Amino acid sequence: MSRILLATSSVLVLAFLCLPALIVIPMSFSSASSLEFPPPGFSLRWYESFLGDPRWLLALQNSAVIALLSSTIALLVGSVAAYGLVRGTFRGRPLIEGVFIAPLVVPSVIIAVALYIFFAQIGLLGTMTGLVIGHTVLGVPYVILVMSVAIRSFDHRIEQVALSLGAPTATMFRRVLLPNLLPSVFAAWIFALIASFDEVIVTHFIAGRHDTVPKRMFNELVLQVNPTITAIATLLIALSVVAIGIIVLLLRRGGVRMQSLT
C-alpha cells in the first residue's frame, strides 16, 4: 500500500509540474493574435517574431556569452575547490564547503541585493563583467556538487600510484584524473551553463541596461502579455530537456567508467 501511495503521489506531482509546459508549448504554435487555449490553428508566427526582433536576438546573444563565460569560469574554480574539499584534510573544511554551497541555500534575492551593493561600491554594477561574476557565483555550487561526487568515487590510490612512479602533479591531473572524470566535467559545465542561462533575479538586480532572455521575458510580462514569450519559453524548455538528457548520459557513462576502474 505504501508503494502504491508513493507511486500515485509521485505521478500527481510530476503531472502538476508538467501541466504548465503542456499548455505553453501548444500555445507557442497558435495562430491566434493573443494568448488563447486551445489554439485555433497552427502557426510559427511567434517564433518568427522572436527570431526577427533585434532586441530579442541581442538578449539571446548576451545570455549565451554570459552563460558560456560564467560556466567555464565556474567549472575551473569549482573543480579545483571540489578536489581540495574531497582530498584535503585541513581544518575548517565543512565551513568552507558550506560557503561554496551557500548560493544554493540562500534565497536568490538576498544574493542579488548583496551583489548589487558590492558591485555598486567597486564600479561593476550594470556591466557585463559584473554579470559574468554574478553568474559564476551561482554556477560554482553546481560544479562542486557534481565534481565532489565524481572525485570521491575515483580511487585515490590510482593518483598515488601515478605520483609514486614519478609523474608530476600536473601530469597526474592531466593524464590520469581528468580523462576519467571527463563525463562528470561536461555534466558539471552543462549544469552551470543552464543555471546561468535561466537566471533572472540576480540578473535583474545587477544587469543595468544589459538585457538577457529571462530578464526581457520578465519585463515583457510586466508591461503586457506578449505571445512571443510562449515561443521563447518552449525553446527554453526544449533546451533544458536536451541538457538534462545529456547530463544523464554523461553521468551514467562516468558511473560505468568508475565501476570498471574499481
Side-chain angles (χ1 to χ4, degrees), residues 138-158:
L138 299 176
V140 166
Y142 295 96
V143 176
I144 289 180
L145 289 178
V146 175
M147 294 306 298
S148 295
V149 174
I151 295 171
R152 193 174 289 112
S153 301
F154 186 74
D155 194 345
H156 70 282
R157 292 173 296 183
I158 300 176

Side-chain angles (χ1 to χ4, degrees), residues 104-175:
L104 290 179
V105 182
V106 178
S108 298
V109 66
I110 296 179
I111 299 176
V113 172
L115 289 175
Y116 180 89
I117 297 173
F118 178 67
F119 287 165
Q121 293 177 347
I122 63 176
L124 288 179
L125 188 64
T127 64
M128 291 291 289
T129 303
L131 275 173
V132 171
I133 295 175
H135 283 221
T136 300
V137 171
L138 299 176
V140 166
Y142 295 96
V143 176
I144 289 180
L145 289 178
V146 175
M147 294 306 298
S148 295
V149 174
I151 295 171
R152 193 174 289 112
S153 301
F154 186 74
D155 194 345
H156 70 282
R157 292 173 296 183
I158 300 176
E159 303 174 29
Q160 295 173 350
V161 168
L163 294 174
S164 65
L165 292 176
T169 303
T171 303
M172 184 275 294
F173 275 107
R174 188 178 68 255
R175 303 187 62 179

